[in-house]
Amino acid sequence: MSEDLIERALASADDTDEVVMGDDVLGETGRLFRRLFGDAGGVVIADGNTWAVAGEQVTASLRGAGVELAEPYVFPARPSVYAEYENVELLREFLAPLGANAVVIGSGTLNDLVKKASDELGRRYLVVCTAASMDGYAAFGASISVDGFKTTLSCRAPQGLVVDLPTLAAAPQRCTATGVGDLIEKIPAGADWILADELGIEPIEQGSWDLAQGRLEAAISDPQGLVDRDPGAFVALAEGLVLSGLAMQRYRISSRPASGAGHLFSHVWEMEHLGMDQDPPLTHGFKVGLGTLAMLALWQNAVDLDVSAIDTEAAVATWRSREETEASVRSWFTGNMVEPAVKETLDKYLTTEQLRARIGLIKTAWPVITARAREQLVPPERAESILERVGAFHHPQQIDLSRQRFRDTYLRCRMIRSRYTLPDALFELGVLEEQVDRLFAPDGFWGRRPWAQTG
Ligand SMILES: [Zn+2]
């Protein structure tokens, strides 16, 4: 049934023609390559870890199908290769003279680097997935740091995916846990999109919505099965991740179908290199999982907010000017993050006239927004228990975030993207800080959790 969902998604996908998913399908890589690229030459790209997982099988499959192979490019296993633009340039220069189509064996970072490098050469590639660790496999765009600022660079998704379920199930548990963290954010991200939709800021594109949300519940509902490496649980998670990528491929404008403010939390910490000096580095999905809890807790109170009682003129009277807004952003960020954050924040800046109109619109639309959001959301406690069960982080201090830094991220996350999410609406209503403080009060979601005395 769900495979039909992938087949149907592929029928209307612009970039990806085929997904080969199943048990022991690494040996299909060669035939897939020939179907997609005919007589073209190939080159395998991996790192020391992923080469050990599937390098020889994939190479044998390609050779067996008669694909002429160049020498593989294998990044070292340690330190982990980083998704920065310098590595895109490095791969592009490697690939350019070969004239071959790349076959990348890997997950998030390697796939993103090859995706971008191939696209810059006007070339297509295929990916052999090694972990159920994130949803970017089939996504349009690559998450790359440019001059230290994490951004999504436009580029075409792979033309083919090989999703070998035993390979995913054999990956380290932390990879699977990080995939759950990435996927579960689609819950509050959906609520953020409902908000932007109802306010006429970014309408929901139903096809992309259905892909991102359609298999979500099934994918996250059996965390114990994922720990036990139950094949059924891995099928559901892999489908959820691939479909979420196909949702972004379909939407194309941005990663909106798969990414709300919960992702923005992660991006802030990532740009500040949180956990990057760990070995292996702190993953995207672990940070996103915490961002998910943060946003589910914020949404949980927000749906009960009586916005009709908010004094519009008082909010307008304390609204910051454009210059004050810029100064505020500058005070919150340092280094390479400052200028992009200023730009993203000012892109959604409202004049006082626009603010008055926006607050009016929020008040009118609030009953519908909250009704739809309630349908979409789950209690933060449920997400917390899923993350805990699967072995993902569920408390900020597990990733060395102090209470203060975690709290501040609620205020800062909206400044790094023009994307409109719940913190924007609460900020416009003048209640963001008070709503955040409620969460850290003794009876609030974060106040009720234990915090070690480390500041
Ligand atoms: Zn993500």
Side-chain angles (χ1 to χ4, degrees), residues 43-60:
V43 58
V44 174
I45 298 171
D47 68 19
N49 298 318
T50 64
W51 180 267
V53 167
E56 281 176 19
Q57 282 186 76
V58 166
T59 301

Side-chain angles (χ1 to χ4, degrees), residues 306-339:
D306 179 11
V307 299
S308 66
I310 289 172
D311 182 343
T312 303
E313 289 312 313
V316 170
T318 55
W319 190 241
R320 289 179 181 137
S321 70
R322 218 179 155 81
E323 292 69 27
E324 287 164 341
T325 299
E326 178 173 341
S328 163
V329 176
R330 287 185 184 282
S331 74
W332 276 115
F333 294 93
T334 56
N336 293 331
M337 293 173 76
V338 178
E339 299 308 326

Side-chain angles (χ1 to χ4, degrees), residues 125-148:
Y125 79 102
L126 70 87
V127 59
V128 177
C129 311
T130 51
S133 55
M134 49 89 227
D135 67 356
Y137 285 118
F140 176 80
S143 189
I144 306 271
S145 279
V146 181
D147 298 328

Side-chain angles (χ1 to χ4, degrees), residues 5-89:
L5 205 50
I6 291 183
E7 287 305 316
R8 261 187 287 144
L10 290 174
S12 63
D14 289 329
D15 299 340
T16 306
D17 292 336
E18 217 175 314
V19 175
V20 179
M21 183 186 293
D23 290 333
D24 299 313
V25 294
L26 288 178
E28 294 295 315
T29 310
R31 280 189 285 275
L32 176 62
F33 188 99
R34 293 291 295 247
R35 285 200 294 280
L36 299 179
F37 307 131
D39 292 332
V43 58
V44 174
I45 298 171
D47 68 19
N49 298 318
T50 64
W51 180 267
V53 167
E56 281 176 19
Q57 282 186 76
V58 166
T59 301
S61 173
L62 289 163
R63 286 222 175 91
V67 178
E68 199 171 311
L69 289 177
E71 279 296 304
Y73 190 100
V74 183
F75 287 95
R78 292 277 183 278
S80 304
V81 56
Y82 192 58
E84 57 194 356
Y85 194 70
E86 286 74 8
N87 283 324
V88 172
E89 293 175 311

Side-chain angles (χ1 to χ4, degrees), residues 312 316 351-363:
T312 303
V316 170
T351 63
T352 48
E353 273 312 299
Q354 289 168 324
L355 176 69
R356 194 174 280 114
R358 173 67 58 77
I359 293 175
L361 193 54
I362 293 174
K363 286 183 174 183

Side-chain angles (χ1 to χ4, degrees), residues 370-391:
T370 51
R372 289 179 67 189
R374 278 198 178 93
E375 291 276 301
Q376 170 68 17
L377 293 163
V378 301
E381 290 81 1
R382 179 171 176 231
E384 182 183 43
S385 119
I386 290 171
L387 292 171
E388 185 170 13
R389 181 72 66 87
V390 82

